[in-house]
Amino acid sequence: MALLEIRNVTRRFGDFVAVDGVSLSIGAGEFFTLLGPSGCGKTTLLRMIAGFDAPDGGAILLDGQDMTGVPPEARDIHTVFQSYALFPHMTVADNIAFPLRMAKCPPGEIPARVEEALDDVSLPGMGKRFPNELSGGQRQRVAVARALINRPKLLLLDEPLAALDAKLRERMQLELITLQKEIGITFVYVTHDQEEALALSHRIAVMNKGKVEQLDEPAKIYGFPKNRFVADFIGECNLFDCTVAAHDAGGLDLAIEGLGKVRSAGAENVVQGAKGTLALRPEKVAIGRELNAADCVNRFHGKVFDYLYTGDVTLYIVEVEGGQRVEVMLPNNAVGRSSKFFEPGDAVQIGWRDDAGHYLHD
Amino acid sequence: MNARAQKWLVSGPPLVYLLFFFAIPTLIMVVASFRFPGDYDPLAPIFGTGNPDEVAGLTLESYQRFFADPIYLELFLKSFLYATATTLLCLLLAYPLALMIARSPKRYRDILVLLVILPFWSNFLIRVYAWMIILGEQSVFAKGFNGFLGLFGLDPMPLLFTPLAVLIGLVYVHLPFMVLPLYANLEKHDPALLDAAQDLGAPAWQRFWRITFPLSLPGVYAGAALVFIPALGIFAIPDLLGGTDGILIGNLIKQQFLEARDWPFGGVLSMVLTAAAIGFAGIAAWFARRQRV
């Protein structure tokens, strides 16, 4: 049985439907992420799980028990808030001990458990400090330690890394993964950062306009987005409007304006003349002065229109002869070359395999 | 203009004002407390003309008088008790009010704060006279109150010119000075802290006792200082509502200056009162500084 069951939950604010009939089932020990742009309903859903807000319809069950009418303080669920919400008048140790005191833990046990919790988040001996004496990363760790100390069934994390700089964020991501694995508590993580979601999660629910657009493992979400929204939201993606010109057992022939005929892997239930979208990740497109790769069945000549140099890779925008612009990603790791391979105006050829793109029904 | 000159330009006028209207008068009173009372003038001269019959110079006589008779210290103690009771009652009444205003929707808050300071728009004495009418024997309130006592077979009780009337007046006059600093503090509290406390298992009273109240202590200390210190020296309220034996230290000081025309003794009483007020303000500031907010 799932640890957390969200059954057809709806929440309206006036005419605005923040969460629209969402059903999710989250297993024990899972690292689950709610991913979506701001206003997609992910935070509202999180607040309803925590108990700060009540659904207008549907039910939330924790361990098979209906949580309707159960106040936040009585739910075996703790939250790491975006602002951390550390109590400024208490030391780190008192902050971490707070849930233990509320749960009437024998006072004799508290210091040892607090010290253990500080060790868990690599802050040994920091108990006597006050929150305003800590760095952003340290505060984040204290917030996690405080929320985990009396081992709730479920930990909710509301964009906990949003306030940290990129370098620290990466380190904290690794720490969160390790911690979650070690203690085995179910994490429900809310973020709008798709890279973070891909890096951390066992499963991701991509949300948009109050609905779950796709629920899958990170690799499936990235590799096989279910629709245009998911393809566009997760990572860089070329999205071409297309019409199915022909289909056979081996795949599809797609007609794309400004590009021409493109061969793509097959999809289910495709009919000739159907309109859809071809989603093509820039890193799956090859680029060269002249391509000799035989497996690139889709090949087009064009000119470099512009590029974006980002250190590890360069994103080229290539305008093909038909006029369509295609984003192509090239790693900057070729030995003995300058970091920039092509300049705007250079004549190039681009190409991709038939299974590189992903056809989406409209 | 450099930063230094700018600083002086900004802080100069209030500094000059305080020098003239606070520091110099205080200094005059310090000196006055060591002088002799004059025969016709309130103060005898410091430098005499050499006439052996003339009283002149400096003396500790007034201080000796103050400490010789316990009645003065008792009056201080009485004033201290009244001021303490006033502060505690103001705190009890103001805290829920300030919390209610701070937690009400933003668009109502300014109106509610305005209502708190509305009494300041009419004269202080007029408001105290209004209390004389309310507490007077013939008022609907007093009759209702005594009628209520009568239900339990108790004798009617006068309200005006009693310690209770003084306390009511003191609390009434000082209440806004407690509400405003409390509100200013409570309004700034981060609501996420209460969410976090609730999320981590704290029921409503624990959230108040462990989060809201400790974080509001600087506001409590500021309000307590703003109520306690003026309440300690006030004379108008006991004058009007307190009757013959209702006087506090403020009344005695006023008498020394206006009726007895004994400025040195009035100066001594003022010095002791000022020292006590500075002491209490210092204690409040020390407590407030220990808070890490």
Side-chain angles (χ1 to χ4, degrees):
Chain A
M1 190 180 57
L3 179 74
L4 183 73
E5 279 273 348
I6 296 167
R7 285 191 193 153
N8 206 21
V9 164
T10 298
R11 179 75 174 103
R12 291 181 201 89
F13 296 105
D15 286 341
F16 178 69
V17 187
V19 177
D20 191 359
V22 168
S23 293
L24 292 169
S25 172
I26 298 166
E30 196 170 0
F31 197 130
F32 191 92
T33 297
L34 296 169
L35 171 67
S38 54
C40 74
K42 57 191 193 297
T43 298
T44 305
L45 188 57
L46 199 77
R47 285 184 68 82
M48 287 192 285
I49 299 171
F52 290 112
D53 202 356
D56 293 315
I60 294 170
L61 288 83
L62 181 69
D63 238 357
Q65 270 188 313
D66 191 348
M67 289 284 112
T68 308
V70 179
E73 63 267 33
R75 296 187 184 198
D76 203 0
I77 298 173
H78 287 174
T79 308
V80 176
F81 291 86
Q82 188 170 2
S83 63
Y84 311 143
L86 298 180
F87 306 131
H89 57 301
M90 296 184 196
T91 60
V92 165
D94 283 335
N95 263 284
I96 295 176
F98 189 83
L100 294 178
R101 297 206 167 107
M102 290 304 108
K104 309 233 157 42
C105 168
E109 286 178 23
I110 290 177
R113 289 186 64 179
V114 167
E115 212 40 56
E116 193 187 330
L118 282 169
D119 280 343
D120 282 349
V121 294
S122 342
L123 290 173
M126 299 284 256
K128 288 207 174 72
R129 304 262 184 114
F130 279 87
N132 63 0
E133 296 167 334
L134 302 181
S135 70
Q138 289 172 329
R139 277 180 221 179
Q140 205 270 338
R141 290 184 192 148
V142 173
V144 170
R146 185 178 69 171
L148 285 174
I149 186 146
N150 57 358
R151 298 294 186 256
K153 282 183 182 148
L154 190 62
L155 185 74
L156 308 177
L157 301 103
D158 185 7
E159 311 233 7
L161 306 181
L164 306 179
D165 61 73
K167 197 88 189 162
L168 188 57
R169 196 155 59 221
E170 221 164 90
R171 215 176 79 203
M172 296 307 299
Q173 285 175 6
L174 288 171
E175 285 188 16
L176 277 178
I177 293 173
T178 317
L179 189 67
Q180 197 267 342
K181 230 184 259 171
E182 271 173 18
I183 61 172
I185 286 177
T186 310
F187 279 27
V188 175
Y189 193 98
V190 158
T191 183
H192 66 272
D193 183 330
Q194 37 101 8
E195 277 182 41
E196 199 167 286
L198 293 172
L200 292 172
S201 326
H202 297 142
R203 281 196 305 159
I204 299 171
V206 183
M207 288 185 71
N208 184 33
K209 292 179 181 159
K211 289 197 158 103
V212 174
E213 297 276 358
Q214 187 170 358
L215 171 62
D216 239 323
E217 294 159 22
K220 292 263 176 62
I221 295 261
Y222 186 82
F224 303 96
K226 230 179 201 167
N227 54 39
R228 210 178 158 121
F229 173 81
V230 176
D232 196 25
F233 189 70
I234 313 286
E236 290 288 330
C237 202
N238 291 293
L239 294 169
F240 304 119
D241 293 326
C242 61
T243 312
V244 178
H247 61 99
D248 53 53
L252 309 170
D253 286 331
L254 303 171
I256 297 171
E257 208 189 310
L259 198 61
K261 201 194 83 172
V262 171
R263 181 76 180 164
S264 169
E268 285 162 29
N269 308 321
V270 180
V271 292
Q272 195 166 348
K275 291 198 183 300
T277 304
L278 179 69
L280 181 64
R281 297 284 181 201
E283 73 270 18
K284 294 196 174 172
V285 183
I287 182 169
R289 304 253 176 237
E290 201 65 48
L291 286 179
N292 49 14
D295 55 353
C296 282
V297 292
N298 303 297
R299 269 180 286 187
F300 303 93
H301 284 283
K303 272 199 295 214
V304 172
F305 176 73
D306 209 345
Y307 67 87
L308 197 67
Y309 177 73
T310 58
D312 50 350
V313 297
T314 306
L315 188 74
Y316 290 97
I317 299 163
V318 176
E319 192 170 282
V320 302
E321 281 163 346
Q324 182 69 253
R325 284 181 190 163
V326 182
E327 289 183 8
V328 183
M329 194 181 282
L330 192 60
N332 292 333
N333 61 356
V335 181
R337 295 266 195 118
S338 79
S339 52
K340 282 176 276 176
F341 293 90
F342 307 108
E343 293 292 335
D346 285 358
V348 290
Q349 193 180 26
I350 59 170
W352 60 92
R353 291 157 54 107
D354 59 349
D355 59 357
H358 183 62
Y359 173 76
L360 304 167
H361 292 291
D362 269 3
Chain B
M1 199 182 344
N2 65 26
R4 206 185 167 83
Q6 233 169 37
K7 209 171 88 186
W8 280 108
L9 197 73
V10 171
S11 60
L15 214 66
V16 170
Y17 182 92
L18 285 175
L19 188 74
F20 272 93
F21 296 103
F22 178 73
I24 293 177
T26 306
L27 220 67
I28 290 173
M29 275 305 120
V30 172
V31 175
S33 69
F34 290 103
R35 289 168 72 175
F36 289 103
D39 290 330
Y40 303 104
D41 287 328
L43 293 167
I46 299 175
F47 305 105
T49 51
N51 185 339
D53 292 337
E54 194 194 35
V55 180
L58 299 172
T59 177
L60 286 171
E61 203 176 66
S62 298
Y63 282 94
Q64 281 160 353
R65 185 178 151 202
F66 175 79
F67 289 105
D69 193 342
I71 194 168
Y72 301 118
L73 276 173
E74 275 166 27
L75 195 58
F76 257 102
L77 190 68
K78 185 181 163 196
S79 304
F80 176 81
L81 290 177
Y82 269 87
T84 306
T86 303
T87 308
L88 290 177
L89 284 170
C90 279
L91 184 62
L92 281 177
L93 291 171
Y95 206 106
L97 181 62
L99 197 59
M100 187 271 284
I101 299 174
R103 302 252 171 103
S104 57
K106 232 183 179 112
R107 60 184 183 280
Y108 298 132
R109 280 186 218 160
D110 289 344
I111 295 170
L112 293 170
V113 171
L114 196 72
L115 288 176
V116 170
I117 59 171
L118 200 62
F120 290 137
W121 292 6
S122 73
N123 182 277
F124 166 78
L125 283 175
I126 291 173
R127 287 182 281 133
V128 180
Y129 277 118
W131 274 105
M132 290 180 78
I133 296 171
I134 296 171
L135 298 173
E137 231 173 299
Q138 297 306 313
S139 80
V140 178
F141 176 77
K143 281 179 178 168
F145 178 73
N146 279 320
F148 179 75
L149 289 182
L151 290 178
F152 300 95
L154 296 166
D155 289 337
M157 187 178 117
L159 291 174
L160 192 58
F161 308 133
T162 62
L164 182 67
V166 174
L167 204 55
I168 289 174
L170 286 173
V171 169
Y172 165 75
V173 165
H174 293 109
L175 193 59
F177 297 105
M178 185 65 93
V179 175
L180 294 178
L182 273 177
Y183 164 75
N185 173 287
L186 290 168
E187 196 251 336
K188 283 183 298 195
H189 287 200
D190 179 2
L193 296 180
L194 291 177
D195 277 359
Q198 188 175 14
D199 186 77
L200 297 168
W205 72 273
Q206 289 273 26
R207 298 200 288 276
F208 175 77
W209 190 239
R210 287 179 183 263
I211 310 297
T212 305
F213 186 69
L215 285 174
S216 73
L217 282 177
V220 171
Y221 299 139
L226 285 181
V227 170
F228 186 86
I229 293 165
L232 201 57
I234 199 163
F235 60 83
I237 301 266
D239 250 0
L240 295 170
L241 302 176
T244 45
D245 59 349
I247 68 157
L248 296 176
I249 197 68
N251 303 81
L252 185 64
I253 294 174
K254 189 190 129 202
Q255 272 174 20
Q256 295 311 310
F257 282 101
L258 298 183
E259 286 140 45
R261 290 175 65 77
D262 187 346
W263 284 27
F265 192 57
V268 168
L269 294 171
S270 302
M271 283 310 106
V272 177
L273 186 63
T274 305
I278 289 173
F280 287 121
I283 291 169
W286 184 77
F287 269 111
R289 206 160 342 115
R290 272 191 9 178
Q291 295 299 310
R292 338 181 95 266
V293 186

